[in-house]
Amino acid sequence: MASAAFPQIKKIEYEGPKSKNPLAFKYYNPDEVVEGKTMKEHLRFSVVYWHTFRGRGVDPFGAGTMIRPWDDGTDSLKNAQRRVRVAFEFMQKLQAPFYAFHDRDVAPEGKNLRETNKNLDAVVKVLKEEQQRTGIKLLWGTACLFAHPRYVHGAATSCNADVFAYAAAQVKKCLEVTHELGGAGYVFWGGREGYSTLYNTDMKRELEHLAKFLHMAVDYKKKIGFQGQFYIEPKPKEPTKHQYDSDAAACLNFLREYGLKDHLKLNLETNHATLAGHTMQHELEVAGAAGALGSIDANTGDELLGWDTDQFPTSVYLTTQIMLTILKYGGFTTGGVNFDAKVRRESFEPIDLFHAHIGGMDAFARGLKIAAAIRKDGRLAEFVKQRYSSWDSGIGAKIEKGEVGFEELEAYMLKKGEAAPNTSGRQEYLENLINEFI
Ligand code: XLS
Ligand code: NI
Ligand code: NI
């Protein structure tokens, strides 16, 4: 490649917890083995193209602030291709094994679909070269079905059938490109699949259209032999008042209702969980219990701001809870820890991109190690096991096996007279136990 975009920055290495070097990992040691796998294999870190390479630092009150010397600010193809080289220099120096993109992050929109597709092909060529040069892989691709004005009323749920058709054509192309780049997955985030007012909305029809759209995608995926995993990314609102994929449970219900459950897993994002009034651990648990835990968009919100601030995750409690649940369900297969996060508008220098990702990677490495230590200690799991032990034998086992109904249970209780006493839930004890490991 031509001249480096980050000439002062060398490859970020693991230096251990005592290091005071801000450009080193204190906890993320890619080759260190935890529970039989390396950290690199467990965490499968991924950098997002949109925030990291296209984020300009705009907010509803102000213009962009980001200093990006390699970017000439135009929508030219040349600029887009140069940006790819920079992105791969960044990811290589960061030791990030994966990345994720929207079609429109990487290549500019043309004056019609044909020209737009041509632009995408021209950038994909460079992406492919850089993937081969660095060994960095695509975690997932996705189509941006929300930014262009044509998607004002949604994409697959638009009242305008032509917009549905355009979205279908766009996803078709994006699937082909993701396939060509060897993507491990493909994400559907319904940015504007929802409503702003029910006065103008035929919800039933819109949901049926969304399902139809996803079935078409499944069919096309099979047709081209794309083996990657499909995911739905839940989010309750923003930009719309209500989005149909509002949380993990709503997504699962939708997938089951429309016969899509076998074809899509969930890509869960912390800040979206918060907006839905849940914790990330709750969302992971809902997905995990349904066999649909796919991948995560790692970020965090601000307790005092009620919107999707997409901050880099630094809370060790958060990453510990996430990794406890991920490990409980067997770890990532096709998914990974994708930093769908952006540096603050006030953090406008290129080096801030490194600080942000290093912090997130270290926070997850700590979460992984702490979660593994809690699992090795075994007291937490043992407590939960004990708490449900009344189901392991006697009447509990009979209920679970389906051997008894209301009549048998009435006879059992009439004979016994009163239920066995309850034991304490010991929340405070368990919170203290977790703190032993933090
Ligand atoms: C927006 C979403 C988006 C998806 C990909 O809030 O998180 O970035 O991850 O379309
Ligand atoms: Ni996301
Ligand atoms: Ni988001």
Side-chain angles (χ1 to χ4, degrees), residues 88 99 101 106 120 123-132 136-139 141 174-184 226:
F88 277 81
Y99 73 110
F101 67 75
V106 292
L120 185 55
V123 178
V124 165
K125 199 174 145 274
V126 187
L127 287 168
K128 207 169 174 180
E129 274 171 33
E130 288 295 292
Q131 284 189 201
Q132 272 156 7
I136 293 167
K137 297 193 180 93
L138 180 62
L139 188 70
C174 196
L175 282 172
E176 290 161 9
V177 156
T178 302
H179 183 35
E180 187 183 341
L181 292 171
F226 174 51

Side-chain angles (χ1 to χ4, degrees), residues 215-327:
H215 274 292
M216 288 180 189
V218 170
D219 289 346
Y220 194 65
K221 172 189 194 223
K222 285 189 193 141
K223 177 147 194 202
I224 61 175
F226 174 51
Q227 303 282 330
Q229 174 65 48
F230 272 2
Y231 310 101
I232 273 203
E233 182 175 324
K235 183 175 181 179
K237 54 188 166 198
E238 197 214 88
T240 65
K241 176 196 182 83
H242 176 80
Q243 282 163 215
Y244 297 132
D245 306 330
S246 53
D247 65 2
C251 284
L252 288 169
N253 180 55
F254 170 82
L255 294 174
R256 286 198 190 96
E257 182 166 357
Y258 292 101
L260 287 157
K261 172 76 174 44
D262 293 343
H263 305 293
L264 291 103
K265 288 187 177 172
L266 301 184
N267 178 43
L268 299 163
E269 177 165 325
T270 315
N271 210 161
H272 298 181
T274 322
L275 289 174
H278 304 308
T279 61
M280 179 63 163
Q281 198 179 14
H282 166 94
E283 291 290 85
L284 289 164
E285 191 60 53
V286 169
L293 210 179
S295 195
I296 68 168
D297 272 7
N299 64 17
T300 191
D302 184 297
E303 281 173 21
L304 303 179
L305 289 173
W307 47 294
D308 197 10
T309 56
D310 286 339
Q311 288 166 230
F312 275 84
T314 53
S315 160
V316 177
Y317 282 98
L318 172 68
T319 57
T320 299
Q321 288 166 1
I322 291 175
M323 291 316 299
L324 265 176
T325 314
I326 302 265
L327 291 177

Side-chain angles (χ1 to χ4, degrees), residues 50 102 140 142 146 187 189 233 235 269 272 297 308 340:
W50 52 100
H102 297 88
W140 49 261
T142 188
F146 46 89
V187 163
W189 172 59
E233 182 175 324
K235 183 175 181 179
E269 177 165 325
H272 298 181
D297 272 7
D308 197 10
D340 192 354

